[in-house]
């Protein structure tokens, strides 16, 4: 086949250059032979003229490198396959667009056009020895076959009771890919832009959520019911639905369907017909109770986790033993959502799921409820709160809050409790102020409720609210402003969904409910925190950045809190994603507010994992900040890396950044296991059997340790970032050094 390089359209450098690099495709799913438009932007001072843009199968990326054998490529400087001599050009920005299609270049070099059916990424690649170092990667995109004529889906009937099996006949003539699957979405969804994830799904080859099969069926029946591995999302909720046939591309941010069924309704059960949020008829179990933290206790360590599937624990009690061994005293365990899985309006079903989580034999033997108890608190996310990705449109918010209260043993003196004397608070947000070793305010733990008041993020979850979209709601915002004004050494803010990943730009921005047109509040919110288009991108899965107006408001409040002296560090902790990672975000200076940097640690998956390369421009990449990477020679069997403080080892100078700002160079050291990683990033831990996070404050040495733990792996601490607790000055980023 011929080289894919067709239309090439260089663009001028952006008027406001973003900090960082970026590359993306115009869509996340293509049919075979469809043109692929790529846009990119990166600082030319980091490149030489022979750097190039290449498309690879997504599995090719390993530890930040790719091998020989791109599907197609072009030099970044010449925008052809002919090398053009050039020199480094300091301080300039390079950006452009290239469209790969059937038009061959003048060079006529053989390449793989059209791309075959599969999943791919496009990379900016450093001209160096093989394997080639990758500068930056796009989100994964898919290539699917053109659906043949006659492809269709038919449901066995058009009206179902809640929980009833749904039988779907499919006819997929031609040559369907092995990964084709059928998913359920609301009936009014756009069949060519179905948001991820679906409400429920099965592969057509196995009639399950396992793709371990060899056949490529062209016709058959898929049955959706509670027998699936992902039965937490069953049954479908009341409403109108359609089944959609997806040619492939699991993990995309949006899907194009090859066929859709007629609409079906779910809604004849008593709960659905009457929109009843029934109270649990049985009392909450008095067994296996949690211990509520004491405000004012002396606490030095916070451990946290999320996405708890007791039945999926594959290695016995090892994780909970690890928690108890490392966080058994002067500690808090903080749940970050999906603390059990039960997507339903039925309060008794939720109560049963909470009881089952607390009764898990490993949790009862070694977890926080074992003696001596580890004080436990937290927040929720969608699958324990209500229904997948729901917010304020979930009709059973109050009854679900009551089940949360009973699960965590919240006392009646707490505003979250239904028997609170001055009326129950709407939402499960809370805070605790813990003491340092001196008795002064030390760790301030704040848990947000990002579900109860959150506006729909896409039309499939309810009517859009545009620029008025909220995540916390007015009352919780006022409460949070007051909390952030309270003095403490550090503030740890828990959120069920991630905070720091930027807005995902691999989908049409108009699909976001909060989008209000070009140049308006959606765009302005991202620009105000230095995240314009072209240089920043984030995961396609749920984050705060789906409503950037709210995310920017949160980050500005945090900036004001640090600059007012109310905290030396603010660290977000989050769950949801079924992977672990560490992030850092510089909040730019603005009038009266010097720039500050904040951190985030995601701990998610007991026992769950998501093996995928995930874009996140705010992921902490140690080499970006002038640190030296080297191997720890004392650990040959399970090599660990260590990144030393550049101020001590490289003797480089200081650059002031405001008396109270917390720069990224508040980082003292970083250690990493260099295993179980994705995305070519040392601090994206994706393939460990399970993970959880921890934060420890060393008051004597004035250090804060941020850790990701993987208890089932050979190296049980996958990553650690140590911060200077009292850092007040910035170190200018230095040249990357590897040894």
């Amino acid at each position: 086949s011929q080289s894919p390089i067709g239309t090439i359209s260089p663009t001028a450098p952006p008027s406001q250059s973003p900090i960082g690099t970026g590359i993306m495709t115009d869509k996340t799913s293509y049919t075979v032979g469809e043109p692929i438009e790529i846009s990119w932007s990166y600082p030319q001072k980091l490149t030489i003229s022979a750097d190039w843009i290449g498309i690879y199968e997504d599995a090719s990326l390993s530890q930040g490198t790719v091998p020989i054998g791109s599907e197609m490529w072009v030099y970044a400087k010449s925008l052809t396959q002919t090398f053009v001599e050039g020199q480094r050009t300091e301080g300039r920005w390079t950006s452009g667009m290239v469209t790969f299609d059937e038009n061959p270049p003048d060079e006529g070099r053989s390449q793989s056009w059209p791309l075959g059916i599969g999943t791919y990424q496009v990379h900016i690649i450093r001209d160096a020895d093989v394997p080639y170092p990758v500068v930056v990667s796009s989100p994964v995109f898919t290539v699917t076959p053109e659906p043949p004529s006659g492809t269709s889906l038919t449901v066995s009937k058009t009206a179902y009771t809640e929980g009833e099996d749904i039988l779907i006949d499919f006819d997929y003539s031609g040559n369907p890919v092995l990964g084709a699957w059928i998913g359920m979405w609301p009936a009014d969804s756009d069949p060519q832009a179905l948001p991820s994830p679906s409400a429920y799904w099965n592969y057509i080859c196995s009639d399950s959520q396992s793709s371990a099969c060899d056949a490529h069926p062209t016709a058959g029946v898929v049955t959706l019911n509670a027998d699936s591995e992902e039965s937490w999302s069953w049954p479908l909720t009341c409403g109108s639905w359609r089944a959609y046939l997806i040619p492939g591309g699991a993990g995309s941010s949006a899907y194009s369907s090859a066929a859709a069924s007629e609409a079906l309704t779910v809604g004849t059960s008593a709960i659905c017909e009457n929109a009843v949020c029934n109270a649990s008829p049985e009392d909450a179990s008095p067994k296996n109770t949690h211990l509520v933290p004491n405000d004012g206790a002396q606490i030095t360590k916070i451990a946290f986790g999320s996405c708890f599937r007791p039945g999926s624990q594959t290695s016995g009690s090892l994780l909970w033993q690890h928690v108890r061994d490392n966080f058994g005293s002067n500690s808090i365990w903080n749940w970050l959502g999906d603390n059990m899985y039960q997507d339903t309006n039925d309060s008794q079903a939720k109560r049963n799921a909470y009881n089952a989580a607390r009764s898990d034999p490993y949790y009862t033997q070694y977890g926080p409820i074992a003696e001596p108890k580890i004080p436990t608190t937290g927040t929720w996310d969608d699958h324990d709160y209500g229904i997948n990705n729901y917010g304020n449109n979930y009709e059973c918010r109050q009854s679900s809050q009551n089940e949360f209260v009973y699960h965590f043993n919240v006392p009646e003196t707490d505003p979250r409790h239904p028997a609170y004397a001055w009326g129950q608070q709407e939402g499960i947000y809370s805070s605790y102020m813990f003491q340092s070793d001196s008795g002064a305010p030390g760790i301030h733990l704040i848990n947000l409720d990002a579900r109860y008041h959150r506006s729909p993020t896409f039309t499939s979850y309810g009517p859009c609210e545009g620029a008025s979209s909220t995540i916390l709601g007015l009352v919780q915002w006022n409460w949070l402003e007051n909390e952030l004004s309270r003095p403490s050494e550090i503030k740890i803010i828990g959120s069920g969904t991630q905070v720091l990943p930027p807005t995902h730009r691999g989908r049409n921005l108009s699909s976001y409910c909060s989008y209000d047109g070009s140049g308006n509040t959606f765009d302005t919110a991202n620009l105000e925190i230095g995240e314009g288009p072209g240089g920043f991108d984030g995961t396609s899965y749920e984050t705060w950045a789906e409503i950037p107006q709210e995310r920017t408001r949160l980050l500005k409040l945090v900036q004001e809190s640090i600059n007012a002296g109310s905290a030396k560090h603010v660290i977000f902790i989050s769950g949801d994603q079924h992977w672990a990672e560490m992030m850092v975000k510089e909040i730019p200076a603005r009038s009266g507010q010097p720039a500050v940097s904040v951190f985030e640690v995601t701990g998610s998956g007991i026992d769950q994992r998501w093996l995928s390369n995930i874009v996140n421009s705010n992921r902490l990449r140690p080499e970006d900040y002038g640190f030296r990477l080297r191997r720890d020679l004392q650990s040959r069997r399970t090599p660990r890396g260590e990144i030393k403080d550049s101020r001590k080892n490289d003797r480089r100078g200081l650059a002031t950044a405001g008396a109270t700002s917390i720069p990224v160079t508040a980082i003292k050291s970083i250690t990493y296991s260099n295993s179980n990683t994705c995305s070519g990033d040392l601090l994206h831990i994706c393939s460990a059997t399970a993970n959880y996070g921890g934060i420890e404050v060393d008051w004597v040495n004035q250090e804060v340790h941020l850790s990701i733990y993987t208890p089932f792996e050979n190296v049980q601490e996958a990553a650690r970032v140590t911060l200077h607790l009292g850092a007040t000055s910035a170190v200018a980023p230095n040249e990357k050094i590897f040894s």
Side-chain angles (χ1 to χ4, degrees):
S1 60
Q2 297 297 315
S3 174
I5 301 168
T7 307
I8 299 174
S9 305
T11 62
S15 58
Q16 291 185 330
S17 298
I19 300 171
T21 62
I23 187 166
M24 66 182 66
T25 54
D26 60 322
K27 297 169 59 178
T28 57
S29 181
Y30 302 85
T31 55
V32 173
E34 185 179 359
I36 299 172
E37 183 179 289
I38 299 163
S39 58
W40 47 274
S41 175
Y42 70 120
Q44 192 170 346
K45 67 181 180 180
L46 298 181
T47 72
I48 59 176
S49 57
D51 285 359
W52 49 286
I53 295 169
I55 293 180
Y56 280 81
E57 293 184 353
D58 71 313
S60 301
L61 181 66
S62 175
Q63 299 300 325
T65 65
V66 289
I68 293 175
S70 66
E71 301 294 328
M72 52 197 67
W73 64 277
V74 60
Y75 284 117
K77 185 175 180 67
S78 64
L79 298 178
T80 69
Q81 290 179 4
T82 299
F83 177 75
V84 175
E85 293 288 348
Q87 301 295 323
R88 295 176 184 265
T89 306
E90 298 294 335
R92 290 187 57 197
W93 282 81
T94 303
S95 62
M97 293 172 56
V98 58
T99 300
F100 292 120
D101 55 28
E102 75 279 5
N103 299 315
D106 294 338
E107 294 86 357
R109 300 186 184 184
S110 176
Q111 294 209 39
S112 303
W113 184 263
L115 287 178
I117 297 165
T119 55
Y120 300 88
Q121 284 182 287
V122 58
H123 312 283
I124 295 177
I125 299 167
R126 182 63 36 85
D127 182 58
D129 292 335
V130 178
Y132 302 117
V134 171
V135 178
V136 68
S137 303
S138 76
V140 172
F141 66 91
T142 62
V143 176
T144 61
E146 285 278 2
S149 59
T151 298
S152 63
L153 293 182
T154 306
V155 291
S156 57
K157 58 182 183 177
T158 57
Y160 295 82
T161 59
E162 187 182 61
E164 184 179 359
D165 290 4
I166 298 175
L167 278 66
I168 305 164
D169 288 278
F170 66 88
D171 185 350
Y172 195 8
S173 56
N175 186 28
V177 296
L178 190 62
W181 52 282
I182 292 173
M184 301 298 298
W185 276 271
D188 59 354
S189 300
D190 182 348
Q192 300 308 311
L194 297 165
S196 176
S198 64
Y200 207 74
W201 64 279
N202 272 350
Y203 287 111
I204 66 172
C205 73
S206 63
D207 192 16
S208 73
Q209 291 176 9
S210 170
S211 59
C213 50
D214 300 322
H216 293 67
T218 59
V221 179
V222 163
T223 302
L224 303 183
N225 56 29
D227 294 337
S228 169
E229 295 91 334
E230 298 291 328
S231 59
W232 49 262
S233 61
W234 186 265
L236 293 178
T237 56
C238 313
S240 182
W241 300 86
R242 290 185 199 272
Y244 295 87
L245 175 60
I246 311 299
S252 298
S253 60
Y255 304 105
S256 297
S257 64
S261 73
E262 59 188 314
L264 62 93
T265 59
V266 174
T268 59
S269 72
I271 292 176
C272 291
E273 285 179 337
N274 301 313
V276 171
C277 302
N278 62 310
S280 303
E282 301 175 15
D283 291 338
S285 173
K287 298 180 180 180
N288 305 324
T289 56
H290 287 116
L291 175 65
V292 178
N294 286 324
D295 208 44
Q298 188 175 104
I299 296 294
T300 59
K301 295 182 284 188
I302 308 286
F304 50 91
S306 65
C307 304
F308 183 33
R309 282 189 180 279
S312 297
Q313 295 176 107
T314 58
S315 298
S317 60
L318 188 58
L319 182 139
W320 295 114
Q321 284 182 275
H322 190 275
V323 170
R324 185 155 293 275
D325 289 345
N326 291 275
F327 294 90
S329 61
N330 298 322
S331 301
I332 297 291
W333 175 265
N334 199 89
W335 280 111
L336 288 166
D338 296 344
N339 309 320
M340 58 78 177
Y341 285 77
Q342 190 58 259
D343 291 36
T344 182
N345 291 347
D346 187 345
S347 294
Q348 186 60 51
K350 286 189 177 294
R351 181 169 295 184
N352 292 342
Y354 276 130
N355 289 344
R358 292 197 311 281
S359 298
D360 170 66
Y362 309 130
Y363 195 69
T364 57
Q365 185 177 7
Y366 294 104
I369 61 175
E371 297 293 343
K373 294 180 185 290
I374 301 172
T376 300
T377 186
T379 186
W380 57 17
D381 200 30
D382 48 352
H383 298 298
D384 46 352
Y385 161 71
I387 294 169
N388 184 50
N389 291 355
Y390 270 38
N392 62 14
N393 54 322
Y394 176 56
E395 59 188 356
C396 299
R397 296 182 294 173
Q398 184 178 19
S399 58
S400 182
Q401 176 170 332
N402 294 344
E403 296 310 315
F404 177 97
V405 164
Y406 301 143
H407 176 64
F408 284 100
N409 201 26
V410 174
E412 292 184 3
T413 54
D414 189 299
R416 294 172 291 175
H417 199 285
Y420 184 61
W422 288 274
Q424 185 180 24
Q425 165 185 295
E426 292 186 336
I428 51 86
Y429 52 93
S430 65
S431 74
Y432 293 92
M433 183 70 77
F434 301 118
Q435 292 183 1
S436 68
D437 58 350
S438 69
I443 297 174
H444 187 189
L445 177 61
I446 301 170
N447 277 300
L448 303 178
D449 184 340
R451 287 292 166 192
Y452 199 103
H453 301 280
R454 199 200 70 176
S455 303
T457 49
F458 298 97
T459 56
S460 54
Y461 307 128
C464 290
E465 299 176 19
S468 299
S469 297
T470 186
I471 292 180
L472 300 185
L474 178 61
V475 173
Q476 189 177 180
W477 273 119
N478 291 337
W479 168 86
L480 178 60
E481 289 185 28
N482 181 67
E483 291 296 322
L484 291 174
S485 69
R486 298 172 64 189
S488 65
E489 288 293 295
I490 68 170
K491 297 190 186 298
I492 298 173
I493 301 178
S495 171
T497 52
Q498 290 181 309
V499 175
L500 293 187
T503 299
H504 176 60
R505 296 182 178 274
R507 59 167 60 98
N508 191 322
L509 294 183
S510 63
S511 67
Y512 290 105
C513 272
S514 61
Y515 186 70
D516 57 346
S518 178
N520 292 318
T521 63
F522 184 101
D523 288 340
T524 300
N526 283 321
L527 288 171
E528 285 179 346
I529 54 172
E531 294 179 358
F536 287 85
D537 199 7
T539 173
S540 62
Y541 301 109
E542 262 197 318
T543 68
W544 272 66
E546 290 178 340
I547 307 180
Q549 300 94 324
E550 294 285 271
R551 175 172 173 259
T552 294
R553 180 177 182 178
L554 175 63
L555 293 180
K556 284 183 173 181
L557 285 176
V558 165
Q559 180 182 35
E560 292 166 8
S561 177
I562 293 172
N563 285 325
S566 297
K568 294 177 179 176
H569 284 292
V570 172
I571 303 161
F572 293 101
I573 56 176
S574 56
D576 182 45
Q577 303 291 21
H578 301 182
W579 67 74
E581 63 180 321
M582 294 200 187
M583 292 160 271
V584 62
K585 166 67 182 171
E586 180 178 301
I587 307 172
R590 54 192 170 94
S591 178
Q593 295 293 332
V596 303
S597 289
V598 294
F599 297 84
E600 181 170 354
V601 185
T602 296
S604 174
I606 307 173
D607 288 359
Q608 298 193 82
R609 54 185 174 178
W610 187 246
L611 284 70
S612 185
N613 294 323
I614 303 294
V615 64
N616 182 354
S617 301
N618 288 330
R619 187 174 294 130
L620 178 55
R621 296 172 177 86
E623 62 271 26
D624 288 346
Y625 299 106
F627 290 101
R628 180 186 299 276
L629 278 69
R630 67 188 181 102
R631 297 290 186 196
D632 182 351
L633 300 179
Q634 297 179 352
S635 185
R636 293 183 180 273
R637 286 190 177 182
T638 54
R640 296 178 64 84
E642 187 175 4
I643 302 168
K644 292 294 187 179
D645 187 339
S646 61
R647 286 176 287 186
K648 294 182 179 179
N649 290 288
D650 298 324
R651 297 196 178 104
R652 293 186 170 98
L654 302 178
T656 59
T660 59
S661 69
I662 308 296
V664 293
T665 45
I667 301 172
K668 181 177 181 180
S669 65
I670 302 175
T671 59
Y672 60 94
S673 68
N674 199 24
S675 59
N676 302 113
T677 62
C678 281
S679 309
D681 289 331
L682 298 169
L683 303 186
H684 177 200
I685 313 301
C686 65
S687 61
T689 300
N691 70 78
Y692 76 95
I695 298 175
E696 180 177 2
V697 181
D698 183 340
W699 301 113
V700 174
N701 294 311
Q702 289 288 283
E703 294 175 348
V704 183
H705 305 292
L706 317 180
S707 296
I708 294 171
Y709 296 102
T710 52
F712 300 142
E713 312 306 322
N714 289 332
V715 180
Q716 295 186 336
E717 187 174 27
R720 171 179 284 207
V721 175
T722 297
L723 309 179
H724 297 283
L725 182 55
T728 58
S729 60
V731 177
N734 295 311
E735 178 184 357
K736 297 180 181 180
I737 300 173
F738 300 89
S739 63

